[in-house]
Amino acid sequence: MKVRELIKSFKPYEWEPSRKEIAEKIGIPEEEVLRFDLNTVPFRPEEILRALSEKLPSLPVNEYPDPSYRELREALSEYLKVDPENIMVTVGADEALDIMAKTFIDPGTLALVSAPTYSMYRITVEALGGKIVEVLRNPDFSDNMEALIEQSRKPETRMVFLCSPNNPTGNLTPQEDAVRLLESVDCAVMVDEAYAEFSGTSLVNLAEKHENLMVVRTFSKAFALAGVRIGYVVASRETIELLNKVRPPNSVSVTSLALAKIALEKADFFLSKAREITAERERFSKALSRIEGLTVYPSHANFLLVRFEKTDALKVYMELLGRGIVVRRLSGTMLENCLRITVLDKAANDKLLDALKEILGGKG
Ligand code: PMP
């Protein structure tokens, strides 16, 4: 087959093994596997599933969804306090990234990432023949704004990818830094706010004012709908119009649209769950940092970045996996010997704490 040259050596997204694979490998039931690697919330939104089941018999599944996803955009408009014309609905945040890359990246052009960060930015840009420039964060993981501004002024730079709270470091891009970047450069600036509900801050209110800002959000995290695949972009009308030119017209299913709409009607419930998770994050973080030889970084999201000072992180990862506990391995500059741990409920988090104490022998 005549495959594109760049695909031959393409480095794909790396997942941890599935629940089933892990359960089979270590010989435990699937439901006993504890997944601290997915950054999802530890509950199923049963009430909204029941509400959907009542609506199912009348869902017009024989027809395509309204390609503008108007109803969900109107519900989002109320939730976010922005105009529906500033919103585009996508299949998870990941489809939003793809649509942006298709809008801005020509082969050979550059996109900046504030590294380390979420690896899909690289994948979406490189798949189109664009080049990623990693602008390394400062030692405290804050964005190196001076370097980002300098690099984005190059004529070949088309996009800047920021992530706030950043996956995997957990820190925020302060609003004044984002505004400084937006006002200093004329390329597109994407701010990924997949975890915004856990931080209580957002830049969506800046989207109408700054034409080069695109904020990406998702129902996968605080809204407990990762399996449903719904995300959205908030941007100026002009930018939304550009993105809509290459957006597939019907990629979001009518069932997903219905579920997301029901979830928004119960937004207060999900936001209060997010507050519970952030309170648990603080307890969990303190307990982890009491383990010797372990550094826990501050986080504004539903996960924690930890660094093992004296033990090989891969060894810890394998030992945990053997106990049915999956955490996220990380690689790359600034993340040496680090693992990323999702904040689950207290009982699960305590199991991880006990396992770590056992593995590190109280010493780390
Ligand atoms: N952005 C970030 C920073 C993420 O961590 C993730 C998922 N882990 C995504 C986007 C993808 O989200 P979605 O499920 O909405 O595609």
Side-chain angles (χ1 to χ4, degrees):
M1 283 190 298
K2 295 165 192 168
V3 177
R4 288 166 70 205
E5 204 50 45
L6 74 84
I7 297 298
K8 292 181 189 164
S9 56
F10 202 78
K11 212 171 141 255
Y13 188 79
E14 286 169 8
W15 292 95
E16 298 299 344
S18 74
R19 189 179 279 279
K20 196 171 165 55
E21 280 171 301
I22 297 160
E24 276 171 9
K25 197 161 165 222
I26 61 171
I28 59 170
E30 259 186 65
E31 57 281 7
E32 280 179 25
V33 174
L34 289 175
R35 301 216 64 157
F36 289 88
D37 60 317
L38 297 173
N39 288 351
T40 48
V41 290
F43 65 93
R44 262 176 354 106
E46 287 177 10
E47 204 182 319
I48 67 161
L49 289 172
R50 269 194 295 275
L52 176 74
S53 73
E54 279 163 30
K55 289 199 172 165
L56 271 180
S58 58
L59 270 193
V61 293
N62 55 320
E63 291 175 8
Y64 288 104
D66 157 23
S68 78
Y69 311 130
R70 176 93 211 166
E71 272 190 46
L72 182 58
R73 282 168 44 239
E74 276 168 2
L76 278 166
S77 151
E78 267 181 47
Y79 170 60
L80 301 166
K81 311 280 178 272
V82 302
D83 199 273
E85 305 307 317
N86 293 123
I87 302 168
M88 180 179 81
V89 174
T90 56
V91 182
D94 282 348
E95 191 193 40
L97 301 178
D98 257 350
I99 293 171
M100 287 173 189
K102 278 203 268 178
T103 307
F104 294 102
I105 303 297
D106 276 319
T109 61
L110 308 180
L112 312 181
V113 293
S114 184
T117 192
Y118 182 45
S119 58
M120 280 303 288
Y121 311 143
R122 174 190 68 75
I123 290 169
T124 54
V125 167
E126 288 183 348
L128 293 173
K131 290 201 169 58
I132 282 286
V133 177
E134 288 199 347
V135 176
L136 269 199
R137 287 168 179 267
N138 299 314
D140 64 355
F141 295 131
S142 59
D143 304 286
N144 184 344
M145 272 301 158
E146 295 311 319
L148 284 167
I149 290 172
E150 197 186 310
Q151 292 278 350
S152 21
R153 285 183 172 148
K154 288 188 177 168
E156 59 274 33
T157 304
R158 293 286 178 82
M159 280 188 82
V160 183
F161 287 90
L162 298 179
C163 186
S164 180
N166 184 46
N167 176 6
T169 58
N171 61 304
L172 296 168
T173 296
Q175 176 151 333
E176 59 273 22
D177 282 4
V179 169
R180 195 150 61 91
L181 176 68
L182 289 164
E183 290 180 349
S184 312
V185 305
D186 66 357
C187 62
V189 177
M190 192 279 325
V191 181
D192 184 339
E193 292 191 350
Y195 301 96
E197 282 86 357
F198 302 104
S199 76
T201 66
S202 173
L203 300 183
V204 291
N205 60 323
L206 298 180
E208 186 52 46
K209 186 163 168 224
H210 296 277
E211 202 182 320
N212 53 343
L213 171 64
M214 301 179 291
V215 180
V216 173
R217 304 279 294 258
T218 181
F219 284 84
S220 293
K221 307 299 178 183
F223 280 90
L225 292 177
V228 174
R229 316 297 308 124
I230 290 241
Y232 52 95
V233 179
V234 182
S236 69
R237 272 154 227 260
E238 293 78 7
T239 305
I240 292 287
E241 259 173 49
L242 290 175
L243 298 173
N244 266 327
K245 288 189 180 187
V246 289
R247 174 177 67 81
N250 299 117
S251 48
V252 184
S253 76
V254 290
T255 35
S256 307
L257 291 163
L259 259 175
K261 201 163 159 263
I262 301 167
L264 283 178
E265 283 159 19
K266 309 260 181 261
D268 287 346
F269 165 78
F270 290 103
L271 294 177
S272 98
K273 283 291 219 185
R275 282 191 294 274
E276 275 174 32
I277 290 169
T278 53
E280 171 60 14
R281 175 188 72 208
E282 295 311 304
R283 183 200 74 90
F284 190 28
S285 163
K286 275 201 198 90
L288 280 166
S289 54
R290 270 187 230 115
I291 302 177
E292 209 196 311
L294 216 162
T295 301
V296 188
Y297 293 93
S299 170
H300 293 267
N302 64 335
F303 55 82
L304 294 165
L305 180 71
V306 301
R307 193 187 299 273
F308 295 85
E309 306 298 347
K310 300 174 198 156
T311 323
D312 180 17
L314 187 62
K315 183 175 162 274
V316 178
Y317 168 86
M318 293 307 295
E319 291 264 359
L320 288 171
L321 197 60
R323 291 163 167 82
I325 296 175
V326 196
V327 295
R328 189 73 157 112
R329 285 171 286 182
L330 300 165
S331 58
T333 325
M334 299 185 83
L335 297 175
E336 284 88 342
N337 232 15
C338 286
L339 294 173
R340 195 195 66 200
I341 300 172
T342 305
V343 179
L344 299 181
D345 52 35
K346 183 173 183 299
N349 298 337
D350 283 345
K351 278 194 187 147
L352 177 59
L353 281 168
D354 288 345
L356 274 178
K357 284 179 198 156
E358 205 178 285
I359 294 163
L360 301 179
K363 287 197 247 52

